[in-house]
Amino acid sequence: MKRTTEIERRPLSDMILASFEPESKEYRELDGNGLYFRVKPDDNKSWHGNG
């Protein structure tokens, strides 16, 4: 079995993005290649990149 660090991540699907719920603190979900999806406590959701 591969370690999770060795498993290639798939891009986040629309269904997965819609399922993210706000929490008490902002959090990020990685999509790959430096791109991530940010979810804020006020339910503001946005894409960001490390580029």
Side-chain angles (χ1 to χ4, degrees):
M1 181 174 223
K2 289 185 176 183
R3 291 180 172 200
T4 54
T5 56
E6 297 172 351
I7 297 172
E8 184 177 336
R9 292 189 63 126
R10 294 182 181 183
L12 298 171
S13 70
D14 290 342
M15 189 167 55
I16 296 295
L17 294 174
S19 72
F20 293 140
E21 297 291 333
E23 296 181 0
S24 60
K25 290 187 177 183
E26 175 183 311
Y27 65 95
R28 300 172 181 185
E29 292 290 337
L30 296 176
D31 188 53
N33 296 322
L35 187 64
Y36 62 91
F37 192 71
R38 181 173 69 181
V39 181
K40 291 184 160 188
D42 65 359
D43 203 25
N44 186 322
K45 300 173 184 175
S46 57
W47 285 102
H48 294 271
N50 296 334

